[in-house]
Amino acid sequence: MRHLKTILLCSSALMATGAGARAADLPARKAVPVDYVRVCTAYGAGFFYIPGSDTCLRVSGRARYDYLYQVSKVRTGSGGDVSGYVGLLRINLDARTQTDYGTLRAFLRLDVASRSGPFVTSASRQREGQAFPGLGADAFGRTQDFVNADKAFVQFAGLTAGRASSFFDFYAHDFELIGGTAGSDNYSTNLLAYSAVLGNGITLTGSMEDPTFRRFPIFGTGAAAGTFTAAGGFAGYSNAFNPFTPSTFLAPIIVGPGNVAFADVTQKSRLPDFVGVARIDQPWGSAQMSAAVHEINAGDASSTVAGITSTAGLGISPTGRASSAYGFAVQGAVKVNLPFLAQGDALYLQGAYGQGAMSYTGISNYTAPYDALAAAPVSGGSFLQYYSDAVLNPSTGKLELSTSFSAVASLLHYWSPTWRSAVFGSYAEIDYNSHGRNALGALGFGFAPSGASAANAFAFATSPILRGNNQIVTGANLIWTPVKDLDIGVEGEYIRTALNSGVTPDISKNSLRYISSQDAAQFRFRVQRDF
């Protein structure tokens, strides 16, 4: 019995020893380390470190609702709408990393909007592929989804590369809701730029920018259908009040005595726009001088034109293209802080002059954006305001540049920390070289005075086509910010478009009424939350 107890005790001890050994052999269970998101204070509020990296990221965005009201003179076709609506979302991503060469930054901004109504949908944005129209009978030209890669650029050691606002711009409608005053405001373009910081707030920048978003059509487009005349003219061209047929983009030029060929006047992407900027930033405000060079070009000329069945005996042969022309623009601007009136108050003053560079002077901001040849400031307007950087002179085959200038002033005042107002106004003017207009008329463009009846001569003299014109835009707004980053505001604008001289038929009337100016007004209500 004693031996049995001894055996049992020994067996128990051995089993306990073995169990302890096996437990010691097992790996210890440790908690998985958690890489918590850390606040990054190097670049201001809102940044945090991306887990597992030394890159700081800030996520922000915007939600916006707009309602607008604008009168209309017609209730036919796509006209007659007086109310418009906008719902917009914006997402921003700002990533920054400190390197031996300074801060490496990438900034992304995506805008997506649903828009409807007059002067909210944009045919130009559709032509650029940034917007998609509704296709229903009551939707086409009235509803539109807008998608824009507004910003996508890299900044490193003075270099900016990607999609960003043009460096030429300064005021860019900073205090406005509608953004209808004259002045350059190209908020999304593709560019490559270098900025040198010289100290004392002085920066010099050279920028190579995509010209596509700065172009206006070359005037001279029309329907290429008809027959040549013995005098070298061309019959069957569009009439004076409907000269633009976008399906052809052809214009006549003289290539020899009594001979006419047609040139492709759609511009080709050949040279970028070159922009130079000198800027100073000080406690009192900022000032900037900008300059830009903009190439205007046309395609080859040819005698082979759709709708012309025979050119036998005319002695026409394909020729070279019209020589490229080079437009330019210069701009001077200043922003002055006015803290002695109220904290946050400021005044902008800006002026620009250009030849063959209408987008840089921004006269078209209210009536029509880029890529428009003619438009009225209101549906069913009294006459069309024409936009063209150049006219292809059919008698010389040369591009003749238009001239434009603009001036704008804008004042912001805080009535209290939660209430603010802006008042603003601009004047802009376009002038065209009369040689190109006269030559188009002499070719039987439908409004030629030479050898025509008195009625046709009068039509030529009063046609709005390539007539110098001007536009005044004035407005004011009132914005309430009840809590941080929430704006509730209303804005009104008055727009007056006029010929620089003479009169033109009022196409909104059925009677023979001649006018020299037309008026329009728009009101906009906005609710916007930024975060």
Side-chain angles (χ1 to χ4, degrees), residues 10 41 49 227 321 363-364 491 516:
C10 290
T41 60
Y49 283 100
T227 58
R321 66 188 64 89
I363 186 173
S364 65
E491 180 174 283
S516 60

Side-chain angles (χ1 to χ4, degrees), residues 287-373:
Q288 179 172 303
M289 290 294 298
S290 306
V293 177
H294 175 72
E295 186 202 27
I296 303 167
N297 64 73
D300 294 338
S302 173
S303 59
T304 304
V305 181
I308 299 176
T309 58
S310 175
T311 58
L314 293 176
I316 300 173
S317 60
T319 68
R321 66 188 64 89
S323 298
S324 295
Y326 297 90
F328 71 90
V330 292
Q331 176 179 274
V334 63
K335 178 185 180 184
V336 181
N337 297 325
L338 306 172
F340 54 87
L341 296 179
Q343 190 62 37
D345 284 18
L347 170 68
Y348 276 102
L349 297 172
Q350 178 176 285
Y353 173 85
Q355 291 186 5
M358 200 170 293
S359 171
Y360 286 97
T361 60
I363 186 173
S364 65
N365 279 339
Y366 186 85
T367 303
Y370 314 133
D371 296 330
L373 181 65

Side-chain angles (χ1 to χ4, degrees), residues 73-278:
K73 292 188 176 183
V74 296
R75 290 194 181 185
T76 58
S78 60
D81 298 308
V82 297
S83 292
Y85 308 86
V86 178
L88 177 140
L89 71 84
R90 168 175 289 179
I91 298 295
N92 303 313
L93 298 175
D94 191 349
R96 306 189 192 188
T97 306
Q98 194 60 35
T99 74
D100 294 338
Y101 300 93
T103 302
L104 170 61
R105 183 190 186 200
F107 184 82
L108 310 177
R109 172 177 291 168
L110 177 66
D111 282 343
V112 181
S114 177
R115 312 189 296 192
S116 67
F119 293 87
V120 176
T121 59
S122 170
S124 290
R125 295 305 179 196
Q126 289 176 194
R127 287 192 292 269
E128 293 170 3
Q130 295 180 355
F132 310 94
L135 299 178
D138 294 321
F140 188 78
R142 293 171 174 162
T143 63
Q144 184 180 79
D145 282 343
F146 174 70
V147 180
N148 182 30
D150 183 73
K151 303 288 185 293
F153 61 82
V154 175
Q155 289 182 314
F156 177 67
L159 185 72
T160 301
R163 190 161 175 80
S165 299
S166 172
F167 277 90
F168 184 91
D169 298 350
F170 187 76
Y171 169 55
H173 304 106
D174 191 14
F175 297 156
E176 303 174 41
L177 304 184
I178 299 172
T181 56
S184 181
D185 187 6
N186 194 3
Y187 53 83
S188 295
T189 190
N190 306 309
L191 57 82
L192 176 65
Y194 179 78
S195 299
V197 179
L198 304 183
N200 296 320
I202 300 174
T203 305
L204 300 180
T205 300
S207 182
M208 184 178 72
E209 302 187 0
D210 189 339
T212 307
F213 303 99
R214 291 287 194 180
R215 289 192 184 123
F216 282 92
I218 298 173
F219 192 93
T221 56
T227 58
F228 287 100
T229 66
F234 186 69
Y237 223 56
S238 301
N239 64 50
F241 303 105
N242 184 28
F244 183 47
T245 305
S247 62
T248 54
F249 291 95
L250 299 169
I253 64 171
I254 302 296
V255 299
N259 297 334
V260 177
F262 276 80
D264 178 357
V265 294
T266 55
Q267 297 187 63
K268 315 305 177 184
S269 292
R270 297 176 58 81
L271 289 178
D273 285 2
F274 295 100
V275 174
V277 176

